[in-house]
Amino acid sequence: TVVADLDRVNPEGWNTTAAPTLRQPTDEVLYEVHVRDFSVADESCPPEQRGTYLGLVHAHDAAGGKPSSGLTHLKDLGVTAVHLLPIEDFTAGPKEYNWGYWTALFNVPESNYATSTADPLQPARELKQAIETLHANDIRVVMDVVYNHTSSTGEYSPFDQTVPFYYFRTAPDGSLLNDTGVGNTFADERPMARKYIVDSLKHWLQDYKVDGFRFDLLGTAQPETVRSICKELLPIRSDITLYGEPWTGGGPIHFPKGAQQGLRDWHAFADFGPD
């Protein structure tokens, strides 16, 4: 565990580079990106940057009959935002491949995507550098966030070690509920669990200047949680991009498709036609 002043790892231009803005949500052109996959096989990218946050912003023009790659390719495509598959710290060994949906810590950038894991601040430093460079090139950053479950519970969970039996949904006998299909479900109906999610989102929005969030298994969330997110985040960033999956991993759906109606600038996937 490291206590850090994140302002001390800000890249040059962090306080002067403006984030791209949207006039309306339908102007967004999203491009889904897995940080590792985006550059790990890009021969034009320096080897030490392949598969990392810095690999996202490596630029290479088309030449010799080969197409552009990296940041140049994103600009050529005309995207307005990259949707980063989960970069919240997830359970994976050094350089072990993972999609990122096995979240361990909500507020920490994944270290496997840094060029070095020896310095605990390197992931924060390089993620900020990547975001600043994307912003400088008029590309927004949307984080795929997984607040519906964690990779561990009990003695291996910082939540359970803080307040046992509070942060996860349980049956009357104390056993974990499995609304997500992966063994546990974050109990956002409980006030401090809900506050933790909102505070975490504000952390990424303010300390890392991300431009939006895509919520995994949003159907597990309580409507009050979604309303709280809108209430707290929209005054900070009026053009923030907010959307998610209105389904669960098998448990009851609390925020179904259509529940977003009436909520300012909140959007949901449609996995089938209109009801």
Side-chain angles (χ1 to χ4, degrees):
T1 301
V2 175
V3 177
D5 178 359
L6 292 180
D7 287 340
R8 297 180 66 179
V9 297
N10 289 343
E12 183 179 353
W14 182 253
N15 293 319
T16 56
T17 301
T21 58
L22 288 176
R23 289 189 299 174
Q24 55 190 11
T26 50
D27 289 341
E28 193 85 280
V29 180
L30 288 156
Y31 187 82
E32 185 175 297
V33 173
H34 184 286
V35 172
R36 176 191 178 276
D37 289 356
F38 186 70
S39 63
V40 71
D42 184 355
E43 295 181 355
S44 71
C45 184
E48 68 277 8
Q49 294 183 6
R50 294 175 190 172
T52 71
Y53 297 120
L54 297 184
L56 287 171
V57 292
H58 164 70
H60 182 71
D61 294 332
K66 294 185 177 181
S68 61
S69 63
L71 178 60
T72 309
H73 184 61
L74 290 175
K75 295 173 68 175
D76 289 347
L77 289 173
V79 303
T80 66
V82 289
H83 156 202
L84 300 181
L85 269 66
I87 58 171
E88 292 174 301
D89 177 72
F90 54 78
T91 302
K95 303 304 178 183
E96 179 182 3
Y97 186 82
N98 195 296
W99 274 19
Y101 292 95
W102 208 218
T103 310
L105 299 170
F106 293 149
N107 295 337
V108 181
E110 171 55 39
S111 61
N112 275 337
Y113 296 150
T115 58
S116 171
T117 58
D119 180 354
L121 294 183
Q122 195 75 351
R125 182 180 295 110
E126 293 183 353
L127 175 58
K128 283 193 170 192
Q129 184 176 340
I131 291 173
E132 193 276 330
T133 304
L134 288 165
H135 282 174
N137 286 273
D138 294 322
I139 297 176
R140 291 157 58 93
V141 177
V142 172
M143 279 183 60
D144 195 330
V145 288
V146 189
Y147 291 112
N148 57 78
H149 73 280
T150 64
S151 61
S152 59
T153 56
E155 64 178 310
Y156 299 106
S157 165
F159 290 106
D160 272 336
Q161 290 299 301
T162 304
V163 186
F165 302 105
Y166 183 82
Y167 286 98
F168 299 96
R169 290 178 187 162
T170 52
D173 65 357
S175 61
L176 292 170
L177 294 180
N178 190 25
D179 298 351
T180 59
V182 294
N184 67 80
T185 307
F186 203 72
D188 69 292
E189 64 274 14
R190 297 170 183 166
M192 296 309 293
R194 177 178 298 146
K195 184 180 187 301
Y196 196 100
I197 292 173
V198 174
D199 287 349
S200 176
L201 291 165
K202 291 168 73 172
H203 162 64
W204 290 107
L205 184 63
Q206 295 175 307
D207 293 329
Y208 285 90
K209 296 186 178 180
V210 302
D211 307 280
F213 302 97
R214 178 268 192 194
F215 293 80
D216 183 67
L217 297 187
L218 183 63
T220 66
Q222 300 292 325
E224 181 56 35
T225 299
V226 181
R227 287 193 289 268
S228 295
I229 292 170
C230 290
K231 179 181 178 180
E232 295 290 334
L233 268 58
L234 285 168
I236 300 172
R237 183 74 185 272
S238 61
D239 68 332
I240 189 173
T241 300
L242 299 168
Y243 61 104
E245 299 176 317
W247 52 77
T248 71
I253 298 176
H254 302 288
F255 195 86
K257 186 180 73 171
Q260 79 279 4
Q261 296 178 10
L263 290 173
R264 177 186 163 196
D265 293 334
W266 194 284
H267 315 279
F269 285 105
D271 56 337
F272 50 86
D275 294 333

